[in-house]
Amino acid sequence: MSKLSRTQLINALTTLGTYLTKPDEELKNIIATERQHNAWFTTGNVTKAITAIGNTLTPDELEEWLNKYDLDKNTSVKKIGLILAGNIPLVGFHDVLCVLVTGNHALIKASGQDARLIKFILQKLVNIEPAFANQFTFVERLENFDAVIATGSNNTSRYFEYYFGKVPHIIRKNRNSVAVLSGDETEAQLHNLGHDIFDYFGLGCRNVSKLLVPKDYNLTFFFESIEPYQPIIDHHKYNNNYDYNKSIYLVNGEKHFDNGFLLVKEDARWVSPLAVLYYEYYGDIQSVEDTINRESDKIQCIVSALPLKVQSQVVDFGMSQQPGLVDYADGVDTMKFLTEL
């Protein structure tokens, strides 16, 4: 189905990957100025997102990924409407990539929070391989599409279901990630867990918003291990959320822990507010596995060193925000969806 051969695809995407991990002055300027358009998109976070994508676009990873699918299964080009999220930089790139490598045409409704980066990087891809030029269009309104992949909140998902329910679709809702601790973690492991909590200020669905800990777990060692992340409080928007949630807990007399840049509160819910981390005690691993499997539609991934028998993806400490090409959002195989249209 693809106009490009597998070799051409891999060569072009590998070249793009190298460019993203070794940006030129033009890309460095885009990275440095992105915070002027979105205050959450700091230079460090944009660099982190671009590098993470670049690191997946290697010959070996691309070969392993693409070999799982028959890219010539369909013979007609489908128009795939994409509604991209904008919570973290380039969060919608993987969906666009899937459409491109399957030889389909992407109708891209970019988020107003993250429109510049995706346009810039796709233009770079066209410069590398001009055949991609006719495979995507940025639109303000989706029309004349054969299928839709839409990412949004629980509220917008109802809107998406109403408007796109009659065509093949993938519609994603809110999800969060969870860390399951045994109490035997090292300082290094808990420090790496800080990345899962604080990277991108905790705005991503792969960010850990809750800890599941054994009974009598002492949070002191956890707080000591994440202390190096203290500078996050210097970001004004994060600080505003921290101050707001702290004032709510104080006024309401709600018990919580506070280390000066993160509020930690015992709570049965999965989704914590920004600058807040929930925790909940568990009795045994079986109960943890049962709970996670029962609530799997709310969970993006699990961070743990334990051999958990769960449906959700389990990743090591510090790795939640570094998904590979086969780590599909919500566990739904986007490539399988596209190749079987």
Side-chain angles (χ1 to χ4, degrees):
M1 182 177 174
S2 174
K3 295 178 182 178
L4 294 171
S5 69
R6 192 177 299 256
T7 300
Q8 288 174 311
L9 282 172
I10 290 174
N11 288 343
L13 293 171
T14 298
T15 302
L16 178 65
T18 301
Y19 173 75
L20 295 180
T21 56
K22 300 176 181 177
D24 59 11
E25 288 305 313
E26 187 179 19
L27 179 53
K28 286 180 180 177
N29 183 60
I30 290 282
I31 292 171
T33 57
E34 194 61 25
R35 64 165 54 200
Q36 298 173 12
H37 303 270
N38 184 337
W40 294 111
F41 285 18
T42 63
T43 298
N45 279 343
V46 176
T47 301
K48 190 190 305 289
I50 288 174
T51 302
I53 290 172
N55 286 337
T56 66
L57 301 180
T58 64
D60 289 345
E61 189 156 347
L62 286 163
E63 191 82 48
E64 182 180 356
W65 180 48
L66 296 179
N67 281 344
K68 297 177 183 291
Y69 308 97
D70 181 2
L71 300 183
D72 300 313
K73 187 173 183 179
N74 291 336
T75 56
S76 61
V77 175
K78 307 295 195 305
K79 290 185 176 181
I80 313 298
L82 300 179
I83 298 180
L84 307 186
N87 49 323
I88 66 176
L90 291 168
V91 68
F93 177 81
H94 191 266
D95 284 340
V96 177
L97 179 64
C98 290
V99 175
L100 297 183
V101 300
T102 54
N104 291 302
H105 187 98
L107 301 173
I108 305 170
K109 176 71 172 69
S111 166
Q113 300 297 310
D114 185 25
R116 298 193 330 142
L117 287 169
I118 189 71
K119 290 177 181 178
F120 178 84
I121 288 174
L122 288 181
Q123 184 55 54
K124 281 296 174 184
L125 182 58
V126 170
N127 294 347
I128 294 166
E129 176 49 75
F132 283 117
N134 298 320
Q135 276 195 258
F136 63 88
T137 308
F138 284 93
V139 299
E140 290 300 316
R141 181 184 177 88
L142 289 186
E143 296 176 322
N144 303 317
F145 44 81
D146 299 300
V148 169
I149 301 174
T151 304
S153 66
N154 290 343
N155 287 332
T156 57
S157 68
R158 290 191 286 270
Y159 166 89
F160 294 155
E161 290 281 2
Y162 177 79
Y163 281 97
F164 307 132
K166 295 182 180 179
V167 299
H169 59 269
I170 297 174
I171 294 176
R172 305 193 187 105
K173 305 176 183 180
N174 288 348
R175 291 203 183 206
N176 290 80
S177 298
V178 182
V180 182
L181 305 184
S182 67
D184 297 324
E185 287 78 18
T186 65
E187 181 179 356
Q189 286 176 314
L190 293 178
H191 172 77
N192 287 338
L193 175 59
H195 282 294
D196 305 311
I197 297 167
F198 297 112
D199 280 2
Y200 308 112
F201 299 104
L203 290 166
C205 63
R206 297 183 69 89
N207 282 110
V208 167
S209 60
K210 182 169 183 173
L211 305 180
L212 294 176
V213 298
K215 288 179 179 177
D216 302 320
Y217 183 82
N218 188 339
L219 286 166
T220 301
F221 187 45
F222 165 75
F223 278 124
E224 292 171 349
S225 301
I226 65 168
E227 185 61 30
Y229 297 91
Q230 186 276 337
I232 195 172
I233 199 67
D234 296 332
H235 188 276
H236 69 284
K237 290 179 79 70
Y238 182 91
N239 196 335
N240 288 343
N241 281 271
Y242 167 83
D243 285 341
Y244 172 78
N245 288 304
K246 181 177 180 176
S247 65
I248 293 293
Y249 294 157
L250 291 174
V251 168
N252 292 338
E254 296 185 61
K255 182 181 176 182
H256 65 280
F257 297 95
D258 179 5
N259 69 349
F261 60 93
L262 179 68
L263 304 166
V264 179
K265 179 177 181 290
E266 185 174 2
D267 200 299
R269 292 172 291 182
W270 296 105
V271 184
S272 61
L274 208 63
V276 177
L277 180 68
Y278 288 156
Y279 73 95
E280 189 173 359
Y281 294 109
Y282 66 82
D284 55 67
I285 294 300
Q286 180 66 56
S287 66
V288 171
E289 293 171 340
D290 291 344
T291 298
I292 289 173
N293 287 329
R294 187 173 59 249
E295 303 284 344
S296 62
D297 62 333
K298 299 182 178 72
I299 299 171
Q300 192 63 261
C301 68
I302 309 293
V303 177
S304 185
L306 294 167
L308 298 171
K309 298 175 182 177
V310 292
Q311 299 167 17
S312 305
Q313 180 196 15
V314 180
V315 301
D316 200 3
F317 295 101
M319 298 302 293
S320 70
Q321 284 294 357
Q322 299 185 50
L325 293 173
V326 297
D327 296 329
Y328 297 103
D330 297 7
V332 178
D333 190 328
T334 314
M335 287 287 285
K336 183 175 185 291
F337 169 77
L338 291 168
T339 54
E340 294 182 355
L341 286 174

